[in-house]
Amino acid sequence: MSHEKAQRFVELHRQGCFLLPNAWDVGSARILESAGFAAVATTSAGVAFSLGRPDHDFFAEAGSAGRVDRETMMHRVREIVDGVGVPVSADLEEGYGAEPQTVATTISMALAAGAAGGNIEDFTGSRAEPLFDEQLAAERIRAARAAADAAGAPFVLIGRTDALLVGGSLAECVRRANAYLAAGADCAFVPGAADAATIATLVRELDGPLNVVMGLTGSTLTMDELRELGVRRVTVGGSIARTMYRHLLDAARELAGQGSFSYAAQQLSQTDLNDLFSARG
């Protein structure tokens, strides 16, 4: 990732509101780029599903079996970075380990892969303690910031709290997100905030810009409405990937159960895809 490209990604977070769609492989990233988006993000869920693996979730209680490892994820990030001409932000889950130094190493690896930004979440994968202790979580963000700064390249660090997703209060979300911003995050991310009242409260209470994720709950809020609420960045998580897999499953069931082919009526043509993927050499 060039310094100029990474700086462009930083500037997107300065003012206004922009949509950062999530890709899971080079093909999906190229399609999003062709639609005119100024940058793309990765989705760890989409990457995992494309490899036939589960996303980071409570299954971690049983160990890491099945989870996409850090090296594999970084390889996919590098493929996407090399495959598009726009900045790429990496979904780095919880940093692939609890210790701040592990998180710092993950950030360094993301930078080496060409990422212009990345998010670190406080979700542990344990039902007994689903979130990292707040002080440790802030230290993890602080270590991530130090690693990014040491590299000398622009890097947008996102501090994500999953408190709402595990039954926590909005007050806890605000407290955690502000701690992460104070520790060096450039933007706070609170998945699960999808209604106007909750989002407005977060915008008002946070000491920095807010990222929200749409497409997870069927929220009817539009980009214009999110912009009016004061949101800085909107992502869509794994929702595009899940939509693609919905169509794949429907097609498989039609073929296996009915022996018919109506699933193909809305397909993109071979020519259209060839033209799209030939657009960049």
Side-chain angles (χ1 to χ4, degrees):
M1 179 72 66
S2 70
H3 188 283
E4 181 274 334
K5 191 184 297 184
Q7 187 59 42
R8 277 195 281 124
F9 191 57
V10 170
E11 295 303 322
L12 285 173
H13 295 77
R14 299 292 193 202
Q15 61 184 356
C17 179
F18 74 101
L19 179 57
L20 181 69
N22 301 77
W24 58 94
D25 59 13
V26 178
S28 59
R30 292 279 296 276
I31 287 174
L32 293 171
E33 180 185 31
S34 75
F37 289 103
V40 298
T42 67
T43 160
S44 65
V47 172
F49 301 152
S50 75
L51 295 168
R53 307 277 192 87
D55 188 26
H56 181 45
D57 205 340
F58 285 122
F59 74 87
E61 290 180 323
S64 59
R67 182 185 178 187
V68 177
D69 61 85
R70 183 168 63 179
E71 289 70 23
T72 300
M73 189 65 75
M74 293 301 173
H75 180 71
R76 180 62 61 85
V77 171
R78 167 56 75 184
E79 287 181 335
I80 292 172
V81 168
D82 290 345
V84 297
V86 296
V88 175
S89 185
D91 180 350
L92 302 174
E93 301 187 340
E94 91 300 6
Y96 298 92
E99 294 304 314
Q101 184 53 53
T102 303
V103 176
T105 300
T106 296
I107 294 295
S108 297
M109 292 174 69
L111 278 157
N119 57 277
I120 297 294
E121 64 194 45
D122 57 14
F123 177 69
T124 66
S126 168
R127 291 187 187 278
E129 295 183 36
L131 301 178
F132 288 108
D133 171 80
E134 287 187 38
Q135 183 174 348
L136 173 59
E139 286 297 323
R140 286 156 41 81
I141 296 296
R142 191 169 291 109
R145 180 77 271 161
D149 290 347
F155 188 85
V156 179
L157 177 63
I158 309 300
R160 166 175 161 167
T161 177
D162 282 25
L164 282 182
L165 298 183
V166 299
S169 67
L170 186 56
E172 180 181 6
C173 287
V174 170
R175 188 176 65 246
R176 283 178 172 270
N178 277 333
Y180 305 161
L181 289 165
D186 298 296
C187 183
F189 179 15
V190 185
D195 64 275
T198 299
I199 292 171
T201 298
L202 288 170
V203 170
R204 184 176 64 251
E205 299 285 338
L206 294 185
D207 300 325
L210 173 67
N211 179 105
V212 297
V213 58
M214 293 286 110
L216 306 188
T217 62
S219 173
T220 59
L221 289 172
T222 65
M223 280 297 295
D224 284 343
E225 290 168 328
L226 292 167
R227 187 175 294 109
E228 286 296 317
L229 286 168
V231 171
R232 181 60 48 81
R233 190 175 97 164
V234 180
T235 50
V236 296
S239 63
I240 302 176
R242 287 192 296 273
T243 299
M244 295 281 288
Y245 280 106
R246 170 78 270 172
H247 291 310
L248 175 59
L249 182 59
D250 287 346
R253 287 175 172 170
E254 179 185 354
L255 288 168
Q258 303 173 38
S260 57
F261 310 95
S262 67
Y263 73 89
Q266 300 300 316
Q267 67 180 295
L268 285 170
S269 74
Q270 183 89 352
T271 298
D272 286 342
L273 285 171
N274 279 344
D275 288 346
L276 191 154
F277 292 136
S278 298
R280 287 185 71 242

